[in-house]
Amino acid sequence: MNSVPKKLQYSKTHEWVRKDDDILTVGITDHAQTMLGDLVYVELPEPESSLESGQECAVVESVKAAADIYSPVSGEVIEINEALFETPQLINDDPYGKGWLFRVRPYENDSPHLLNSEQYSKQVASEAH
Amino acid sequence: MGKKTALYASHLAANAKIVDFAGWEMPLHYGSQVQEHHQVRQDAGVFDVSHMTIVDMTGQTVPAFLRQVLANNIDVLTPGKALYTCMLNEQGGVIDDLIVYKMDDNFYRLVVNSATRDKDLAWLNAHAKEDSLKLAERTDLAMLAIQGPKVRHKLATLFDPTPLQAILDLKSFHAVTLGSLFIARTGYTGEDGFEIILPIAEAPALWEKLVAANIQPCGLGARDTLRLEAGLNLYGADMDEAVTPLESNLGWTVAWEPKERAFIGREALEKQQQAGLKRRLVGLVLLEQGVLRNHQKVIIEGMSAGEITSGSFSPTLNKGIALARVPVTIGAQCLVEIRGKQYPAQVIKPPFVRQGKNNTVAIA
């Protein structure tokens, strides 16, 4: 079974979100990286760029397939994980840690609609059938 | 549920991710397809390719029949030798690509793609009019491919000295029968290695022995990136019935001599050659980081001029690579459209990788 840490929140499109003070860190879930297989390329948003909630803002590609990453919130990109350009495999090895994609500071009044770990696990289970 | 090979349980036991491939439940990878790719380039891997269709043809009229249905000429074969060839329709379109083995004067073995099994058998049967010609699909046989630079070395622990020597003495595209094993020095990875055809009942035990000799199980994912790096076409992606071998970098597999051999498709190919070839299959190497994908557009001088037929990521070169069908006039560079943006790519003559090393040389 793929891991779904309880302390994180999740989107229906298989991103995870961690909230530290007012900053959100975004990555893809263990389930998503397993489905994609070995990752070999990433495109990340420009630092300081502005994202709309639900906007396609990054791409992760495995040998097998490309997947769009959607911003869970409207906000400003404050940091991207540049280590991924050199080593996309970090996403496979440590999806909730070293494989994070970008950090975003949400605009005021925008709180994302996200799933808790239990809801996300249920969604993954339902997709398998 | 799809069809399962004799090794299905072995795959599950080795934690394979199973996918559907032409109606078969086959291993995509056993953890990491990139690691398996490197394993074959640098060491040794074993693939279950039992989904491939094996057809044995016997009878006095078999040679004449194969001279008619295959674009390459079986007359160059002696017993124990193999030939790569296309089977064409009247328009010169590729029905399938296959390997034909001469077993004996009136006994030939064809190994064809599983995805094209039904139409291949229908085509062969429709043209096999002579009663003396027997065509038998060998569903009782399994097939393993062991590939990689260290395969020869690792076989030493698995065979007695006499059969081992017979295997090691095989030249490329030669085969030998050792008891129930039919072993050929062929493959689909660009590395040295062997393909072994054997009775289904014996396949799991041989698989275990190979794995115990540190020949690592590898899935169809690695097989695809290995064959792409080696510049080997995939039927259904790089060629099909809408294109000829001449447009598919397979002109070398068409035997024009002797002139009087009227193989199916010959007239169409001759007409195409006389009219002048318009398209060809080339290799592309993406110059920036990224991954090339099937059906992406190739752009030359601002115009959409061709299409990627097989695109992926080369673990050996760490670059996006592809086979693409393009105008014959293409120069040393082109652009590829990825998600609406255009990226430069180098045009090369495949293979991309030869004996584990970068082989990308620009087309002049």
Side-chain angles (χ1 to χ4, degrees):
Chain A
M1 276 307 290
N2 297 122
S3 84
V4 184
K6 286 207 159 41
K7 60 181 194 245
L8 301 177
Q9 293 184 292
Y10 300 88
S11 72
K12 286 184 176 167
T13 48
H14 306 286
E15 292 90 6
W16 57 260
V17 176
R18 190 182 70 225
K19 197 163 182 294
D20 301 298
D21 298 326
D22 62 336
I23 305 295
L24 303 183
T25 302
V26 180
I28 68 168
T29 64
D30 194 20
H31 170 73
Q33 72 79 17
T34 302
M35 295 305 286
L36 285 163
D38 295 307
L39 289 160
V40 293
Y41 177 68
V42 297
E43 279 178 21
L44 297 175
E46 289 289 323
E48 297 176 26
S49 64
S50 177
L51 300 180
E52 300 275 328
S53 177
Q55 178 186 342
E56 290 173 15
C57 63
V59 179
V60 295
E61 295 202 45
S62 68
V63 180
K64 194 169 66 167
D68 291 319
I69 306 300
Y70 302 93
S71 176
V73 68
S74 298
E76 184 191 352
V77 178
I78 57 164
E79 194 181 355
I80 59 173
N81 187 359
E82 291 185 2
L84 296 180
F85 294 133
E86 197 60 35
T87 318
Q89 184 79 29
L90 289 173
I91 298 171
N92 297 111
D93 297 342
D94 191 8
Y96 299 113
K98 289 180 179 148
W100 65 279
L101 299 177
F102 59 91
R103 295 202 166 100
V104 57
R105 178 182 287 121
Y107 296 135
E108 280 178 45
N109 308 325
D110 195 25
S111 59
H113 300 283
L114 293 167
L115 310 174
N116 63 30
S117 61
E118 199 175 317
Q119 291 165 323
Y120 179 69
S121 295
K122 271 187 192 155
Q123 183 199 309
V124 169
S126 72
E127 282 178 6
H129 296 293
Chain B
M1 294 295 275
K3 288 180 275 189
K4 297 180 174 76
T5 75
L7 297 166
Y8 184 74
S10 309
H11 300 323
L12 291 187
N15 284 322
K17 177 171 169 58
I18 301 288
V19 292
D20 172 80
F21 185 87
W24 290 83
E25 294 193 41
M26 299 300 289
L28 180 67
H29 61 71
Y30 302 82
S32 164
Q33 86 170 71
V34 169
Q35 187 276 329
E36 290 162 21
H37 179 109
H38 292 310
Q39 176 71 19
V40 172
R41 283 274 175 264
Q42 293 158 15
D43 196 294
V46 55
F47 301 84
D48 178 13
V49 289
S50 303
H51 59 301
M52 304 281 296
T53 302
I54 302 166
V55 182
D56 282 351
M57 303 195 71
T58 50
Q60 281 190 349
T61 52
V62 172
F65 172 77
L66 294 177
R67 276 182 214 114
Q68 182 203 2
V69 297
L70 301 180
N72 211 337
N73 188 0
I74 52 123
D75 286 334
V76 300
L77 294 178
T78 51
K81 208 169 175 306
L83 189 68
Y84 174 71
T85 180
C86 290
M87 181 162 74
L88 307 178
N89 61 26
E90 296 289 354
Q91 292 73 44
V94 183
I95 293 171
D96 200 6
D97 64 333
L98 58 96
I99 290 182
V100 53
Y101 296 92
K102 181 168 182 171
M103 311 292 279
D104 208 338
D105 282 346
N106 297 322
F107 175 13
Y108 289 77
R109 169 168 287 174
L110 275 52
V111 178
V112 308
N113 284 300
S114 58
T116 50
R117 173 199 172 270
D118 294 357
K119 69 167 186 171
D120 289 356
L121 291 176
W123 182 264
L124 290 169
N125 278 310
H127 290 83
K129 295 193 184 89
E130 302 280 344
D131 289 342
S132 63
L133 200 154
K134 298 271 185 295
L135 195 150
E137 183 185 6
R138 298 296 303 271
T139 53
D140 57 319
L141 298 177
M143 187 163 161
L144 307 183
I146 49 176
Q147 303 276 295
K150 297 197 178 158
V151 159
R152 298 172 71 79
H153 175 71
K154 293 187 181 192
L155 287 183
T157 59
L158 299 178
F159 291 92
D160 292 332
T162 308
L164 177 67
Q165 202 54 49
I167 297 167
L168 296 182
D169 285 347
L170 284 174
K171 296 192 185 88
S172 183
F173 271 75
H174 282 69
V176 62
T177 299
L178 295 169
S180 57
L181 305 183
F182 176 77
I183 304 182
R185 193 161 172 202
T186 50
Y188 193 48
T189 62
E191 294 300 324
D192 193 11
F194 303 91
E195 291 177 307
I196 305 176
I197 293 173
L198 74 169
I200 276 178
E202 297 177 25
L206 179 63
W207 178 271
E208 297 306 326
K209 278 172 69 179
L210 294 167
V211 173
N214 290 318
I215 303 179
Q216 187 192 314
C218 295
L220 295 185
R223 188 170 152 87
D224 189 53
T225 48
L226 287 159
R227 70 90 195 166
L228 181 60
E229 284 186 348
L232 300 170
N233 291 5
L234 172 65
Y235 189 82
D238 304 308
M239 75 280 206
D240 55 27
E241 293 187 30
V243 294
T244 71
L246 308 180
E247 298 165 299
S248 308
N249 201 26
L250 295 178
W252 62 275
T253 70
V254 178
W256 301 102
E257 300 291 338
K259 288 187 177 61
E260 57 276 16
R261 188 176 69 96
F263 63 86
I264 297 170
R266 177 172 192 135
E267 257 180 70
L269 295 189
E270 284 174 347
K271 273 188 194 151
Q272 186 178 47
Q273 252 194 347
Q274 281 156 18
L277 209 57
K278 304 229 170 8
R279 300 178 297 172
R280 63 171 167 159
L281 199 68
V282 297
L284 303 182
V285 180
L286 191 62
L287 292 174
E288 296 177 22
Q289 277 300 301
V291 187
L292 295 172
R293 302 286 179 194
N294 297 16
H295 307 303
Q296 284 171 341
K297 281 185 204 161
V298 177
I299 291 149
I300 303 168
E301 289 171 2
M303 305 276 285
S304 173
E307 186 180 283
I308 286 178
T309 54
S310 281
S312 191
F313 182 82
S314 161
T316 305
L317 305 181
N318 203 27
K319 285 179 172 155
I321 61 168
L323 295 175
R325 188 162 282 105
V326 296
V328 288
T329 53
I330 193 167
Q333 268 203 29
C334 64
L335 296 169
V336 179
E337 191 171 297
I338 304 172
R339 290 185 284 274
K341 282 196 260 178
Q342 297 183 357
Y343 296 86
Q346 185 189 19
V347 181
I348 69 135
K349 182 170 171 47
F352 301 89
V353 174
R354 197 191 288 275
Q355 290 171 340
K357 301 282 190 305
N358 188 341
N359 185 61
T360 55
V361 181
I363 280 180

